[in-house]
Amino acid sequence: MDTSRAPSPSLALPQAGRSAAPDAAPRRPPARFRTHLLRLALATGLPLVALAVGLTWWVAAGERNVAMRALSRSAESLQADLERELRITGVVLDILGTSPSLDAALAGEANGADAAAFLARGRAVIDRTPTALHSIVLVDLQGRPRANTLLPPDTASPGIDQLRFPDTPAAPNDPRIYFAKFFRAPGNYISPLYLGPNAGRPLIGVTRVVRRDGRPVGMLAANILPSSLSEALRGQELRPGWIATLLDARHLVIARTAQEEAFFARPGMDWMVDFQRGAERSAMVRALARDGTPIYAVLRRLQRGNWVLALSVPRAVIDGPLRRAVLVAATGGALAVALAVLLALVLGARLGEEVEALGPDAAMVARDQPPPLRAPPRVREVARVRQALAEAGAALRARAAAKREAEEHLVLLLREVDHRAKNALAVALSLIRLAPRDVPPAEFAAAAEGRITAMARAHALLARGAWTGAELQALAESELPAHAGQVRLSGPPARLSAEAVQPVAMLLHELATNAAKHGALSVPGGSVRIEWRFLAADRALRLDWVEAGGPRLAGAPSRRSFGLRLMTQLAERQLAGRLALDWAPDGLRAALTLPAARVAPDGTPLAAAPTTRPA
């Protein structure tokens, strides 16, 4: 019957590493080593890049905030400078308004002799501040000029109605409207930009109502040049790219720190006008310049005249460092991550080859083959695993060799046991066949039993020694247990070969049996001394059996008994040695010489010798 068929499908077990469920989804193959390194590089590099970009943004944003605060402080400083200039002009008007010559000028003819003193004092003030003041004009309540520092005395001056304002659709152009505002102002009034009929150039007037006893008697005006305001703006030494612009009440540009001629007297930008029409005192806006450049601007309203100061800067100047810093950080981080990814791929490929090589090495170790020689690994753990595989392979090969040796030894042992068993049976059969027939059956049985028991004890010693031999002293002690108090053993450690154990055991048994019947062991006071030593010449063993204290002997027996013949055959044919017997009157002395092939010092390997069979 053929029993080599495959098992039934119903009894088939699932293969290792696979799911037993038939509809289970296939598992994704594990990622390569370099893929894990790539993920590690990205997992560590990207957060660091994000952190670097974030820190750069935070630092650059702080610098941007500092720049924006500096922009606000500069606008505030510019406003303070402008208002100081206008305040100085107002102080001049306050001083001139208390002059007695002013009253004389108002009471006399226009630019007449009564106005000469006032004009002289006004020109003296202008000479001390030529960059701030352009001219001083005194006007009566009807708007008629009474004194003008631009004209000599006795020279007629045009009236208020001769003032001209730049055309603009967003503000009135009638000078009488502004003249009415002059008188309604509680303090100094700052006029919009206008074209003076005597100066022939654009001016800005700072006016003050002259009052006597609480009622107005005239108006005093100090005209300043717009260029003086531009100089005040440029006095701050603004940073590159920063532009300050000043609008009058009619939304016209009256001063600018850059391209002043191109923008002078032109309407301001819509975002400036919108702020000017509102009620806020200051604001910061994001707007567009006339050429479309995105800018940041700080707007501040002056305390008088409804003037507006705008300090603008291109956003690129403020945001540029922030963007450049972030761009540099992001680019540097991206390059660093790219380099880390490249190194991860290169190192992962190299180290992955080392890790993958462990698989074939382990397979070769499993097949009891030494792994091939490879280049020294770069990873310590791989080196340790490779070393462990090499050691495991060597251990497996050693174990396999030991197993083969043990199997061979077991075969040899079985053969030896078989040989020893057959040899023991042959010896026992010979003992029975050659034993004398003229002895009583009980004596025959006792002798046969003793000899077979001696063989059994030797057989047990051989079994304990794995059939490799036995110690001489242990063998002698096992054969003479009943006479331990009368027997003394002495000699160096010696180990008998497996072939010599049973013959020596039987020989010692025959000597002990003879001594127990006829010799020293037959009386209580008798003793036996067993001594052995190795001969220096050929490393043979000399064993001496010396009896003392027994019955006195009359010499050698008249006939050779079966025991004597057996001992001779054991010594000469089984042991390939010599046995000498001396029947001295005080006791038997036996000298057994064993060749080096049958015995050796303990720990020394025995020389090989052919197995002999009993006669």
Side-chain angles (χ1 to χ4, degrees), residues 143-491:
R144 296 172 297 182
R146 310 302 296 179
N148 190 334
T149 58
L150 293 178
L151 299 175
D154 302 328
T155 301
S157 177
I160 292 297
D161 57 349
Q162 298 296 317
L163 299 180
R164 294 291 180 267
F165 295 90
D167 293 331
T168 170
N173 201 12
D174 187 356
R176 290 173 297 180
I177 296 176
Y178 294 100
F179 183 73
K181 290 182 179 181
F182 295 164
F183 283 95
R184 290 197 303 268
N188 296 334
Y189 180 81
I190 303 175
S191 72
L193 183 70
Y194 71 93
L195 183 64
N198 296 317
R201 58 194 304 180
L203 297 174
I204 297 170
V206 179
T207 64
R208 182 173 182 82
V209 178
V210 181
R211 298 179 186 276
R212 295 292 184 262
D213 297 330
R215 60 183 182 83
V217 295
M219 183 186 70
L220 189 62
N223 296 316
I224 59 177
L225 296 173
S227 59
S228 65
L229 299 177
S230 298
E231 290 297 328
L233 294 179
R234 284 190 287 268
Q236 284 287 333
E237 296 182 358
L238 299 176
R239 298 181 184 181
W242 292 20
I243 299 176
T245 304
L246 184 62
L247 300 185
D248 67 0
R250 300 178 73 237
H251 318 311
L252 300 180
V253 177
I254 59 176
R256 202 169 190 269
T257 57
Q259 299 177 328
E260 182 178 10
E261 295 180 358
F263 292 95
F264 182 74
R266 295 181 59 182
M269 298 292 295
D270 293 340
W271 49 273
M272 296 182 185
V273 176
D274 293 339
F275 173 79
Q276 195 171 25
R277 289 172 176 171
E280 292 181 312
R281 305 301 303 177
S282 64
M284 179 177 289
V285 298
R286 296 161 60 98
L288 296 177
R290 291 185 183 274
D291 58 357
T293 303
I295 60 172
Y296 290 111
V298 176
L299 299 169
R300 298 191 67 88
R301 190 185 307 273
L302 273 64
Q303 294 181 0
R304 295 187 183 277
N306 195 25
W307 286 7
V308 170
L309 172 66
L311 180 59
S312 62
V313 59
R315 296 183 203 172
V317 176
I318 300 295
D319 298 338
L322 173 63
R323 294 173 181 172
R324 286 192 296 271
V326 173
L327 180 61
V328 169
T331 304
L335 291 177
V337 171
L339 180 60
V341 168
L342 179 61
L343 292 178
L345 292 176
V346 174
L347 292 178
R350 294 180 180 178
L351 301 181
E353 292 177 358
E354 295 183 1
V355 175
E356 288 180 352
L358 296 176
D361 290 353
M364 297 190 70
V365 169
R367 292 194 296 268
D368 197 14
Q369 297 176 358
L373 295 177
R374 300 185 185 275
R378 301 177 180 87
V379 182
R380 180 182 300 177
E381 288 76 5
V382 174
R384 291 180 177 176
V385 173
R386 188 177 295 177
Q387 179 66 25
L389 285 177
E391 294 176 356
L396 289 176
R397 291 191 297 273
R399 185 179 301 175
K403 182 179 179 181
R404 289 192 297 270
E405 184 179 355
E407 292 174 352
E408 294 174 356
H409 179 70
L410 179 61
V411 173
L412 294 176
L413 185 61
L414 293 176
R415 293 178 180 176
E416 185 68 20
V417 170
D418 180 66
H419 170 70
R420 294 301 166 197
K422 292 179 179 179
N423 191 33
L425 292 175
V427 171
L429 182 60
S430 298
L431 290 175
I432 295 174
R433 286 180 178 177
L434 297 177
R437 299 288 190 260
D438 55 351
V439 296
E443 183 178 349
F444 176 80
E449 182 181 358
R451 291 179 178 122
I452 293 175
T453 301
M455 291 174 60
R457 287 193 295 267
H459 192 85
L461 279 178
L462 280 173
R464 287 198 299 269
W467 301 94
T468 59
E471 296 295 328
L472 176 57
Q473 183 166 349
L475 181 63
E477 291 175 351
S478 67
E479 293 298 332
L480 301 169
H483 311 287
Q486 296 177 275
V487 178
R488 187 179 66 184
L489 305 175
S490 64

